[in-house]
Amino acid sequence: MNDCYLGVDIGSISTKGVVIDSNHNVIASLYIWTEGNPVKAVNKLVNELKKKMPSNYQIKGIGTTGSARKLIGLLLDANIVKNEITAHAIGTLNYYPNVKTILEIGGQDSKIIMINNGIITDYAMNTLCAAGTGSFLSSQAKRLGIKIQEFSKYALKSKNPVKIAARCTVFAESDLIHKAQSGYQKEDIVAGLCRSVVLNYLNNVGKGKKITGPIVFQGGVSKNEGVVKYFKEILKEDIIVDKNSHLMGAIGIAILAKKYQTGKVYSLDINHIKFETKPFECRGCSNNCEVLRIFKNNKMIDAWGNRCNKYVKL
Ligand code: SF4
């Protein structure tokens, strides 16, 4: 039997899982939607990954990262649970040991990580404003009547990207409707959106940071060539996008699971574990988050959907 390691990166929009071998090669991977239920998503993820894994491998370590990392870590009995900053940095350094800046834009948040000689020296995260994230782009694509997969094609066709105020979702949406009604070409609006995502990111997440190359761009939005193009243009630097850029957090945590393995062999049989979920709308502030509280034996072990730390229990 060969040893392998499972890494799970679970966010509010997407759930990513990879299985790596002892040389950090990805031998199985999956990217699915979390659909508001991390427990259900991780069940599906694990069952699918089991089918994809070669039969001569055994799991010797499990790591979890992402906003539901503690809950999922408990569920999978992970030997390591770490935040996304660490996981992304470890994953990226494995492929690009000289990386200086990591740009990351995911489904509902974005981050920047500065690295010097393989060590994290600074970072910033934006979890509160959805403008400029994957979910923002998906909803705008829907509004324009185009598939998100076709976003890049439209953006790259444009010669005159329109200016779109992307400071926040409300402004961006009303500006977009206005531009669409004013008769602008679809490709110019899409390109304008990609450009505004980059500007929004640099003005908020990247504010005050010295962005130097090599720069690696990851997270789901890194697959959008329009956004990559405007990062290159505005930063005047080459932007590296790895083929596994959407899985980098999961890869990083799988590498750490290997490093901190305990000798245990995992079966990945989690279907028997039962968790109770109770949804409610928090009125603690104007965000009005739809919070899903998760209970095990009548004890709340985690909450989901909250945009602040109000329900952080673990
Ligand atoms: S969980 Fe409640 S207090 Fe926290 S951001 Fe959401 S609505 Fe506001």
Side-chain angles (χ1 to χ4, degrees), residues 282 284-285 287-289 306-308 310-311:
C282 177
C285 78
N287 279 330
N288 289 354
C289 301
N306 42 310
R307 289 183 169 206
C308 73
K310 192 167 178 175
Y311 299 97

Side-chain angles (χ1 to χ4, degrees), residues 7 18 65 86-92 247-257:
V18 298
T65 188
T86 309
H88 274 275
I90 299 284
T92 313
L247 302 170
M248 211 52 95
I251 293 172
I253 200 66
I255 292 172
L256 287 175

Side-chain angles (χ1 to χ4, degrees), residues 2-5 18-22 24-29 49 52-54 56-58:
N2 299 300
D3 293 344
C4 65
Y5 308 88
V18 298
V19 180
I20 59 165
D21 66 13
S22 300
H24 303 173
N25 298 310
V26 175
I27 56 172
S29 69
L49 280 177
K52 287 177 160 224
M53 260 175 62
N56 56 339
Y57 278 85
Q58 59 179 2

Side-chain angles (χ1 to χ4, degrees), residues 161-295:
V162 297
K163 264 201 179 130
I164 291 179
R167 197 166 290 273
C168 93
T169 40
V170 182
F171 282 130
E173 270 168 13
S174 64
D175 203 19
L176 184 101
I177 293 166
H178 172 70
K179 295 281 162 39
Q181 284 169 347
S182 307
Y184 284 96
Q185 297 289 316
K186 238 180 213 182
E187 59 256 37
D188 293 336
I189 297 177
V190 171
L193 266 173
C194 293
R195 194 167 174 275
S196 72
V197 162
V198 172
L199 291 173
N200 176 284
Y201 176 92
L202 295 174
N203 287 334
N204 292 305
V205 192
K207 198 176 179 181
K209 305 273 182 257
K210 196 169 179 288
I211 298 176
T212 46
I215 302 170
V216 178
F217 178 27
Q218 53 210 31
V221 176
S222 65
K223 297 289 174 198
N224 183 323
E225 290 170 60
V227 176
V228 176
K229 176 185 162 182
Y230 289 109
F231 263 127
K232 274 188 193 166
E233 241 178 65
I234 294 166
L235 290 173
K236 297 187 175 48
E237 288 272 2
D238 190 27
I239 304 289
I240 303 163
V241 180
D242 190 84
K243 68 175 193 306
N244 287 324
S245 63
H246 57 307
L247 302 170
M248 211 52 95
I251 293 172
I253 200 66
I255 292 172
L256 287 175
K258 177 192 157 201
K259 186 170 175 192
Y260 295 102
Q261 61 188 298
T262 59
K264 178 175 171 172
V265 179
Y266 292 84
S267 76
L268 290 190
D269 188 13
I270 61 167
N271 292 332
H272 62 285
I273 304 174
K274 295 277 174 276
F275 286 87
E276 199 191 344
T277 53
K278 292 183 188 164
F280 85 107
E281 192 181 311
C282 177
R283 298 195 183 273
C285 78
S286 59
N287 279 330
N288 289 354
C289 301
E290 284 181 27
V291 182
L292 187 71
R293 286 177 299 169
I294 297 145
F295 294 80

